[in-house]
Amino acid sequence: MHELSIAQSIVEIVGQYVPPAQQEQVRKITVRIGAMAGVVPDSLEFCFSAVIHRTPLAGAVMEIEHVPFTVSCQSCYTTSETEPGLALCPLCGSVDTEVKSGTELQVVSIDVDEATTGAP
Amino acid sequence: MSVITIERKVLEKNDEVARRNREVFDDHGILVLNMVSSPGAGKTSILERTLEELRDKLRIAVIEGDVQTDLDARRVAKYNVPAVQIVTRGGCHLEANLIQEAMGSLKLDSIDLLIIENVGNLVCPSNYDLGEAMKVVVASTTEGDDKPLKYPAMFRNASVLIINKIDLLPYLTSDLATLKDNALKINPSLTVFEVSCTTKQGITQWCEWLLENAQRRPAS
């Protein structure tokens, strides 16, 4: 349900880098979503398209970089991908683990088409 | 085509407001709990039992978050503690700026413990820091013992797990040990309490722990 407010935050962040007059040139917004970020990528894409509808950003697409949930084990010194959220090391079963990735929720980059920049 | 690399956290605005809230709470020496659970797990009932037990020992205030109605704030008002109701009108979680606004209606100098009751939802509130000292997740026995595995983010981010409705265990197939095991698989550092708001079993242990933690926070 909160994908809508996340989509709005993404558009707000884009606005800090690209002024409204140039937003029509934005082609792609890349976001990074961890497996345990609590965000449903399909919902986010749907909400994003609703938020940009009839705005200068309407021509932009969202690209999602998925990040797996990984833990590093302090007992067997390995880093492995595991079921999102589980603290158990999938190799040795230890609970003495540290989350290495999977909680990301970031705007990575914005692709702007310069060819049309400044065009009337 | 030019690529602007920004690498910004999407929720950084919320995190920034939460950081400021936390500073204000710390300056006033207030212990702040963010209570989360699915709808109907018993957050408000636990809150009521906690107020009964601790209102003479601590100066407590409550912020109630609900999608609609002020029913919970009215339940809490009976205990003569300051209570602010936030109605999210469809919003599935509380955000730091809503807490910042609500703080304006509270006398922060005369509060030791602030309990924020979040909207009943095990997904969305886990993303939003409110400025609390700890998240307290409530899981009731009637929800089944696999809840922590289904909603890991909430259990991973919490410091305390209160298992409620233990008086109903004889009538259920869900198993208390399995529920605890599953929660500790997600988050081995959880402090766990087992309570029943109906029989009041376990409430004293929870309240004693809370009292000790609230008294350990003198205003800086």
Side-chain angles (χ1 to χ4, degrees):
Chain A
M1 271 303 289
H2 64 307
E3 278 78 1
L4 182 59
S5 75
I6 287 173
Q8 285 165 333
S9 301
I10 291 171
V11 167
E12 228 172 86
I13 290 173
V14 171
Q16 292 167 16
Y17 292 85
V18 186
Q22 283 156 35
Q23 287 182 359
E24 277 182 31
Q25 277 94 263
V26 174
R27 293 288 163 265
K28 186 168 82 178
I29 298 163
T30 307
V31 298
R32 184 177 292 140
I33 301 179
M36 214 187 60
V39 173
V40 182
D42 282 354
S43 305
L44 182 61
E45 281 180 289
F46 174 77
C47 291
F48 177 75
S49 66
V51 168
I52 62 174
H53 183 60
R54 291 190 183 167
T55 74
L57 277 177
V61 295
M62 174 186 280
E63 189 172 281
I64 297 178
E65 277 181 29
H66 298 272
V67 186
F69 183 73
T70 60
V71 292
S72 85
C73 176
Q74 311 301 307
S75 300
C76 71
Y77 305 104
T78 55
T79 297
S80 4
E81 184 176 342
T82 180
E83 193 71 19
L86 271 190
L88 295 178
C89 170
L91 297 176
C92 74
S94 165
V95 293
D96 190 10
T97 59
E98 197 181 301
V99 176
K100 289 314 255 189
S101 72
T103 60
E104 297 82 355
L105 182 52
Q106 296 159 334
V107 182
V108 180
S109 61
I110 308 165
D111 289 24
V112 184
D113 193 349
E114 280 175 329
T116 52
T117 305
Chain B
M1 188 83 80
S2 75
V3 179
I4 312 170
T5 303
I6 57 175
E7 299 278 347
R8 293 261 302 267
K9 281 177 78 179
V10 173
L11 296 177
E12 62 180 11
K13 210 167 104 186
N14 181 77
D15 291 348
E16 174 56 25
V17 179
R19 194 188 58 75
R20 289 205 298 271
N21 289 353
R22 189 169 283 116
E23 267 176 21
V24 174
F25 292 139
D26 286 347
D27 283 348
H28 289 84
I30 306 173
L31 174 68
V32 183
L33 307 184
N34 178 2
M35 275 181 88
V36 291
S37 81
S38 53
K43 290 185 299 302
T44 315
S45 298
I46 290 172
L47 182 55
E48 288 180 293
R49 298 291 90 81
T50 306
L51 292 173
E52 277 169 12
E53 192 108 352
L54 291 181
R55 67 177 159 168
D56 298 329
K57 297 171 182 145
L58 289 172
R59 296 169 300 172
I60 309 175
V62 173
I63 296 177
E64 282 289 346
D66 279 293
V67 171
Q68 202 58 268
T69 80
D70 63 349
L71 292 172
D72 279 359
R74 281 197 257 166
R75 266 171 79 176
V76 167
K78 280 185 268 176
Y79 298 89
N80 285 323
V81 298
V84 183
Q85 176 81 51
I86 299 173
V87 179
T88 63
R89 305 208 179 280
C92 51
H93 59 272
L94 293 177
E95 296 188 15
N97 63 334
L98 295 173
I99 300 303
Q100 192 181 37
E101 267 173 49
M103 283 157 70
S105 334
L106 292 170
K107 291 193 184 104
L108 298 176
D109 283 330
S110 36
I111 299 173
D112 304 311
L113 171 65
L114 172 65
I115 304 178
I116 302 169
E117 185 182 337
N118 216 313
V119 177
N121 179 339
L122 273 178
V123 183
C124 313
S126 71
N127 280 49
Y128 293 85
D129 184 8
L130 305 178
E132 71 272 6
M134 58 179 100
K135 282 194 174 73
V136 175
V137 60
V138 179
S140 60
T141 56
T142 50
E143 296 168 68
D145 45 34
D146 53 1
K147 263 286 152 70
L149 302 179
K150 289 178 174 170
Y151 300 89
M154 196 58 97
F155 289 82
R156 182 100 203 179
N157 296 334
S159 309
V160 177
L161 164 64
I162 301 181
I163 301 175
N164 189 26
K165 309 188 190 179
I166 54 167
D167 54 312
L168 297 180
L169 281 166
Y171 311 101
L172 305 170
T173 52
S174 61
D175 180 56
L176 185 61
T178 309
L179 174 56
K180 258 201 290 192
D181 269 5
N182 285 338
L184 294 172
K185 261 185 221 166
I186 303 292
N187 181 355
S189 61
L190 275 174
T191 303
V192 185
F193 296 94
E194 298 161 19
V195 310
S196 158
C197 290
T198 310
T199 66
K200 299 194 184 176
Q201 192 185 340
I203 294 291
T204 307
Q205 284 90 325
W206 150 245
C207 288
E208 276 171 3
W209 182 89
L210 189 53
L211 180 63
E212 201 177 297
N213 276 274
Q215 286 172 337
R216 237 190 268 148
R217 294 173 68 90
S220 50

